[in-house]
């Protein structure tokens, strides 16, 4: 499938479990993609797999790019690649777009929008949901904040690896929507954990339970994709607790500023913290059931 939009050159920074396949989808959709990763060997492997290009420096990666995509770890990681003498803002062209898929604070999104504007660069905050599988299959959900004309311009980029991308308002609103997303996941996992514990203690077959309930009002992505592995104590995959706690900290900080109490979110965050202390920080978030067993 060829790209027919004015955007042709895309720089992609950050080839983790999400970024690697996302950059691949861009290449497969006909974009001229140059990738950068802190570990250059990974960028080299990507370039071989997708017949693309890689660069060992940020400035070389972003020169002449119409869109620069970030998919890194946290606020500090974003700042480290955006600012400073070697940051992307020094090498991006006026009129280009900085598109950040990192889950960050809303404050950082607003800060980046202002910094970009001083350089004549557009900015969209665009955290994603769907996990590694969603990235690999190109069916992510993307929550965006920014100006509509900029969002419309980069829509072909977003559609390369998503089945839904929505503009929710000004810069920062994409990140705030992602906070709402993470609170929903936390709540579902808390309820699912307790439900599985009751089902197991009652002698119910978890696979049968899932098969019955997934078609009704209790059905959820977490139930269909995590209930059985939770019942079998399998958590060595998926979205890590360490990353979820980072995301929940944004939720709790934002709620505190708005004067909104989040008792369930605070409880789940506390339980994830207890799991981190037990050395479980790299386990999937569905490992919440381990904390519920010991509650």
């Amino acid at each position: 499938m060829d790209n027919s939009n004015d955007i042709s050159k895309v720089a992609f920074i950050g080839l983790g479990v999400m970024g690697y396949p996302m950059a691949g989808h861009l290449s497969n959709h006909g974009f001229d993609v140059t990738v950068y990763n802190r570990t250059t060997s990974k960028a080299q492997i990507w370039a071989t797999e997708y017949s693309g290009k890689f660069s060992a420096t940020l400035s070389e990666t972003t020169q002449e790019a119409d869109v620069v995509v970030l998919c890194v770890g946290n606020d500090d990681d974003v700042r480290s690649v955006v600012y400073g003498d070697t940051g992307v803002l020094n090498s991006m062209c006026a009129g280009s777009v900085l598109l950040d898929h990192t889950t960050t604070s809303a404050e950082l999104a607003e800060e980046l929008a202002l910094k970009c504007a001083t350089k004549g660069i557009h900015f969209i905050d665009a955290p994603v949901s769907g996990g590694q599988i969603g990235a690999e299959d190109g069916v992510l959900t993307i929550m965006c904040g920014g100006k509509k004309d900029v969002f419309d311009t980069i829509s072909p980029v977003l559609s390369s690896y998503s089945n839904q991308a929505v503009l929710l308002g000004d810069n920062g609103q994409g990140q705030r929507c992602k906070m709402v997303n993470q609170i929903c996941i936390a709540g579902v996992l808390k309820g699912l954990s307790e439900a599985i514990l009751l089902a197991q203690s009652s002698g119910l077959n978890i696979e049968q339970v899932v098969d019955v309930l997934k078609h009704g009002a209790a059905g959820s992505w977490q139930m269909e994709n995590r209930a059985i592995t939770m019942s079998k104590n399998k958590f060595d995959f998926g979205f890590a607790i360490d990353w979820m706690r980072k995301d929940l900290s944004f939720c709790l900080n934002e709620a505190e500023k708005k004067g909104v109490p989040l008792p369930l979110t605070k409880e789940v965050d506390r339980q994830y913290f207890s799991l981190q202390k037990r050395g479980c920080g790299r386990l999937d978030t569905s490992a919440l059931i381990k904390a519920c067993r010991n509650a």
Side-chain angles (χ1 to χ4, degrees):
M1 175 178 171
D2 292 330
N3 167 47
S4 59
N5 191 267
D6 289 339
I7 294 173
S8 60
K9 294 185 178 181
V10 179
F12 202 103
I13 299 168
L15 299 177
V17 295
M18 303 289 288
Y20 195 101
M22 290 165 71
H25 286 299
L26 286 170
S27 181
N28 291 339
H29 279 72
F31 291 96
D32 181 359
V33 183
T34 302
V35 299
Y36 171 88
N37 196 66
R38 283 183 293 186
T39 304
T40 304
S41 60
K42 193 167 188 179
Q44 290 175 310
I45 294 170
W46 182 94
T48 300
E49 182 176 348
Y50 291 101
S51 300
K53 294 177 290 186
F54 76 95
S55 178
T57 68
L58 289 169
S59 59
E60 291 176 356
T61 306
T62 58
Q63 282 176 356
E64 300 182 357
D66 301 306
V67 179
V68 175
V69 185
L70 305 182
C71 192
V72 293
N74 54 40
D75 286 33
D76 290 340
D77 292 329
V78 172
R79 289 189 173 98
S80 72
V81 299
V82 172
Y83 299 145
D85 293 338
T86 61
V88 299
L89 285 186
N90 275 343
S91 53
M92 289 179 66
C93 302
S96 60
V97 180
L98 180 61
L99 172 63
D100 187 16
H101 287 311
T102 313
T103 298
T104 73
S105 63
E107 287 79 10
L108 178 60
E110 293 166 344
E111 172 191 314
L112 289 172
L114 293 174
K115 294 289 186 181
C116 285
T118 65
K119 300 277 189 175
I121 297 167
H122 307 292
F123 176 72
I124 296 284
D125 54 289
V128 304
S129 181
Q132 182 177 351
I133 295 174
E136 291 172 350
D137 293 343
V139 293
L140 293 169
T141 295
I142 308 178
M143 299 151 270
C144 300
K147 295 181 179 179
K148 186 178 186 304
D149 58 337
V150 181
F151 172 79
D152 291 341
T153 298
I154 64 166
S155 287
V157 170
L158 300 175
S159 64
S160 297
Y161 40 75
S162 72
N163 62 4
Q164 179 167 251
V166 178
L167 182 67
L168 293 140
D170 294 333
N171 289 117
Q173 294 298 77
Q175 296 295 350
R176 293 185 178 97
C177 186
K178 179 62 183 287
M179 296 173 199
V180 173
N181 182 81
Q182 300 306 76
I183 291 172
C184 291
I185 292 173
V188 169
L189 283 173
K190 175 70 170 174
L192 187 58
S193 295
E194 294 183 357
I196 290 171
L197 292 176
L198 178 61
Q200 288 177 320
S201 68
S202 302
L204 288 167
N205 180 292
I206 300 300
E207 292 188 16
Q208 285 184 318
V209 169
V210 171
D211 193 52
V212 170
L213 298 186
K214 69 182 182 182
H215 300 292
S220 68
W221 187 96
Q222 299 293 337
M223 175 179 286
E224 290 198 51
N225 292 275
R226 294 292 184 263
I228 293 172
T229 50
M230 289 166 73
S231 70
K232 296 179 179 179
N233 277 325
K234 295 182 179 179
F235 310 108
D236 190 22
F237 54 84
F239 190 64
I241 289 170
D242 288 342
W243 291 116
M244 185 58 148
R245 284 213 71 220
K246 183 262 293 186
D247 291 357
L248 292 180
S249 71
F250 296 141
C251 303
L252 295 171
N253 289 339
E254 186 75 16
E256 184 176 0
K257 292 173 185 176
K258 299 289 192 297
V260 178
L262 300 178
L264 185 147
T265 306
K266 289 179 180 178
E267 171 61 15
V268 172
D269 183 61
R270 183 191 67 77
Q271 290 186 311
Y272 278 141
F273 178 58
S274 72
L275 290 172
Q276 284 180 316
K277 290 193 295 183
R278 290 163 55 184
C280 301
R282 300 307 299 172
L283 298 184
D284 181 70
T285 51
S286 59
L288 183 66
I289 193 171
K290 293 169 68 73
C292 292
R293 283 196 185 102
N294 299 328

